[in-house]
Amino acid sequence: METDGVHLTPQQARAALADTQRVSASAAELAAAPWPTWFFVALTLYVAALPLTYGGIAADSDWLLPRPAWVGVMLTITAVYVALLSVASRVWRNRTGVALRFDVLPKRATVPVVAGLPVLLVGAAVAFRLTGWPGWLIAASLISAGVSVGFHLAFVRLHRKSA
């Protein structure tokens, strides 16, 4: 087979095909997660901290910290999260050439999370305020972290199936 006067040996053709397959596999692995791994860890820690922070804000009296301190913690962790989201977006865009977007995630996975997670976070704080039992906050924190990990793994699996 001749292409622009270049003759390829069978070995060269196989090597070129192998290189193409390696590049394709590498691109699929790179695109298998919707965000950098360090941001996934930061997001998981953030959603795990939210129930405890909401509980501290919602408590009848000072619980572990005064209420203004809990508000400060909430504002600080939210500011750190927003800053990390900005950095993650920039890093991801530079690394893959694709913007970090949450609206491209499958709705069958995102709708339950978007609807259920706020109920879990606020519901645990309300239950803590009514009962005074911090187990609600700890359970909500563990469930939130589990949802974050599960959502990430489910998205990676869905993305790999479609790739």
Side-chain angles (χ1 to χ4, degrees), residues 104 110 126:
V104 296
T110 56
V126 170

Side-chain angles (χ1 to χ4, degrees), residues 92-113:
W92 188 253
R93 187 175 47 252
N94 290 343
R95 194 168 107 189
T96 65
V98 178
L100 178 64
R101 296 176 39 198
F102 294 99
D103 63 330
V104 296
L105 301 176
K107 290 194 183 351
R108 66 181 174 182
T110 56
V111 170
V113 172

Side-chain angles (χ1 to χ4, degrees), residues 47-158:
V47 297
L50 284 176
L52 299 170
T53 307
Y54 286 153
I57 292 170
D60 266 342
S61 59
D62 291 346
W63 177 68
L64 302 177
L65 296 172
R67 183 172 291 151
W70 282 114
V71 172
V73 167
M74 182 67 199
L75 293 174
T76 301
I77 65 173
T78 302
V80 168
Y81 169 73
V82 169
L84 289 176
L85 176 61
S86 173
V87 170
S89 296
R90 193 172 325 112
V91 167
W92 188 253
R93 187 175 47 252
N94 290 343
R95 194 168 107 189
T96 65
V98 178
L100 178 64
R101 296 176 39 198
F102 294 99
D103 63 330
V104 296
L105 301 176
K107 290 194 183 351
R108 66 181 174 182
T110 56
V111 170
V113 172
V114 169
L117 204 54
V119 171
L120 174 68
L121 300 175
V122 175
V126 170
F128 172 66
R129 181 177 174 101
L130 294 175
T131 65
W133 185 57
W136 294 108
L137 303 176
I138 294 166
S141 181
L142 292 172
I143 292 168
S144 297
V147 166
S148 177
V149 170
F151 185 78
H152 178 74
L153 294 176
F155 180 79
V156 168
R157 188 170 9 97
L158 286 172

Side-chain angles (χ1 to χ4, degrees), residues 35-47 84 148-149 152:
W35 38 73
T37 302
W38 62 265
F39 180 70
F40 153 67
V41 171
L43 176 61
T44 300
L45 292 173
Y46 177 70
V47 297
L84 289 176
S148 177
V149 170
H152 178 74

